[in-house]
Amino acid sequence: MTRTAFFISDGTGITAETLGRSLLSQFENAEFNQITKPYIDTLDKARSLVGIIEATAERDGVQPIVIDTIVDQTIRAIVAEAPAFQIDIFSTFLAPLEVELGAHSTYTVGRTHAIGQDEVYMHRIEAVNFALDNDDGARTHQYEEADVILIGVSRCGKTPTSLYLALQFGIRAANYPLTEDDLDDNGILTLPASLARHRHKLFGLTIDARRLSAIRTERRPNSRYCSLDQCMQEVEQAQALYRRFNISYIDTTRFSIEEISTRMMNETGLQRRFSPR
């Protein structure tokens, strides 16, 4: 049976969705139709949502799961009338915290994902711009400013990892693709001068050749670029280079961007500039 799960908030819904997905992911044998409903910030929106939940319960023949981070008490009371199994994240944790801290929560909508400190916000934007400017080996002359330089074959996850590091942690991450242009006269992959002078900043990504072939096929089907033989050769050459120059690396095949980023930071000792929101 597929269960419907609603992630509801009177703000962006990011917190409810993130925590909700994390909870539901622990039930590997269950299937969920996941629906996010942000900005339920008026009584009319709340009543309309209750109607949607009621219709869903009738259609599915089983009550939906509602995971919410609604701050407004009046809106929360309306949503609580819906025929659903409800998990109220804020009330579950805020009340015990209020007792422990001896203070009342401000119950302010949108605090988690607000801009907050201007300095921190601008640092995030600068880090993202740096990642974009230094994507795919575009500007190697800026590597002096980089906190880390991700290297690896094309389509192994360098760009999304760089952007995640920038947006979540303020890390200035550049990335460089290892290609046939970096082969020496003997056909051996080597480090170009722009990378060799920054060896202490290098971190490698690798990937299963079959998975790489499948990813590249979506981009350029029936090409040498996506052939399994080509992918196997490139992956083997990249891993040989990592070993030869003692460069730490991660196999991205079965890891999410979040896992790749945190594992990389843990292995390198790289410190986040601020905590993720």
Side-chain angles (χ1 to χ4, degrees), residues 159-178:
T159 296
T161 301
S162 296
L163 289 172
Y164 183 86
L165 286 168
L167 187 60
Q168 292 294 309
F169 305 118
I171 300 297
R172 287 176 171 251
N175 74 80
Y176 183 95
L178 300 173

Side-chain angles (χ1 to χ4, degrees), residues 221-240:
N222 304 314
S223 65
R224 174 172 171 266
Y225 172 74
C226 72
S227 71
L228 182 58
D229 286 344
Q230 177 67 20
C231 292
M232 290 179 66
Q233 181 181 11
E234 289 185 34
V235 169
E236 289 172 0
Q237 288 177 330
Q239 292 179 355

Side-chain angles (χ1 to χ4, degrees), residues 143-182:
Y143 285 176
E144 191 67 40
E145 303 171 30
D147 297 314
V148 65
I149 304 169
L150 301 179
I151 60 174
V153 301
S154 172
R155 312 305 290 179
C156 70
K158 300 184 301 300
T159 296
T161 301
S162 296
L163 289 172
Y164 183 86
L165 286 168
L167 187 60
Q168 292 294 309
F169 305 118
I171 300 297
R172 287 176 171 251
N175 74 80
Y176 183 95
L178 300 173
T179 68
E180 292 179 340
D181 293 338
D182 300 312

Side-chain angles (χ1 to χ4, degrees), residues 6-257:
F6 288 92
F7 307 130
I8 302 170
S9 176
D10 41 11
T12 63
I14 295 173
T15 300
E17 183 175 352
T18 301
L19 293 175
R21 289 183 184 276
S22 180
L23 289 171
L24 298 181
S25 69
Q26 302 303 311
F27 300 89
E28 296 181 0
N29 297 322
E31 294 184 9
F32 299 97
N33 175 29
Q34 302 178 24
I35 301 171
T36 302
K37 292 289 186 179
Y39 300 114
I40 305 300
D41 50 9
T42 68
L43 300 183
D44 286 342
K45 289 181 181 179
R47 295 187 186 100
S48 177
L49 178 60
V50 169
I52 293 173
I53 296 173
E54 289 174 344
T56 301
E58 184 175 349
R59 182 198 66 202
D60 294 350
V62 62
Q63 64 179 358
I65 297 168
V66 168
I67 299 175
D68 79 81
T69 54
I70 296 174
V71 173
D72 188 284
Q73 302 282 354
T74 307
I75 293 174
R76 184 191 295 166
I78 293 175
V79 174
E81 298 173 0
F85 175 78
Q86 303 203 16
I87 301 175
D88 183 343
I89 294 174
F90 276 177
S91 68
T92 300
F93 297 107
L94 280 180
L97 272 174
E98 287 177 333
V99 173
E100 175 63 24
L101 298 175
H104 289 291
S105 165
T106 55
Y107 289 91
T108 304
V109 178
R111 292 280 296 183
T112 307
H113 301 284
I115 289 179
Q117 300 177 29
D118 289 342
E119 182 180 350
V120 171
Y121 180 75
M122 292 308 300
H123 194 88
R124 295 172 71 193
I125 298 302
E126 290 171 2
V128 170
N129 286 335
F130 183 88
L132 292 172
D133 287 343
N134 293 274
D135 181 43
D136 221 21
R139 296 188 181 183
T140 59
H141 66 277
Q142 293 184 338
Y143 285 176
E144 191 67 40
E145 303 171 30
D147 297 314
V148 65
I149 304 169
L150 301 179
I151 60 174
V153 301
S154 172
R155 312 305 290 179
C156 70
K158 300 184 301 300
T159 296
T161 301
S162 296
L163 289 172
Y164 183 86
L165 286 168
L167 187 60
Q168 292 294 309
F169 305 118
I171 300 297
R172 287 176 171 251
N175 74 80
Y176 183 95
L178 300 173
T179 68
E180 292 179 340
D181 293 338
D182 300 312
L183 297 175
D184 63 16
D185 294 338
N186 297 316
I188 298 175
L189 190 66
T190 188
L191 288 177
S194 58
L195 294 182
R197 67 175 64 100
H198 297 292
R199 271 183 57 183
H200 63 290
K201 295 183 180 182
L202 301 182
F203 193 88
L205 302 183
T206 189
I207 188 172
D208 178 78
R210 291 176 178 77
R211 175 60 179 155
L212 180 61
S213 176
I215 293 172
R216 289 182 174 184
T217 296
E218 295 179 3
R219 188 178 179 87
R220 285 188 219 162
N222 304 314
S223 65
R224 174 172 171 266
Y225 172 74
C226 72
S227 71
L228 182 58
D229 286 344
Q230 177 67 20
C231 292
M232 290 179 66
Q233 181 181 11
E234 289 185 34
V235 169
E236 289 172 0
Q237 288 177 330
Q239 292 179 355
L241 179 141
Y242 299 154
R243 292 190 293 268
R244 190 162 66 252
F245 289 95
N246 196 29
I247 298 170
S248 299
Y249 67 95
I250 287 177
D251 187 333
T252 67
T253 308
R254 295 177 178 82
F255 290 144
S256 66
I257 299 301

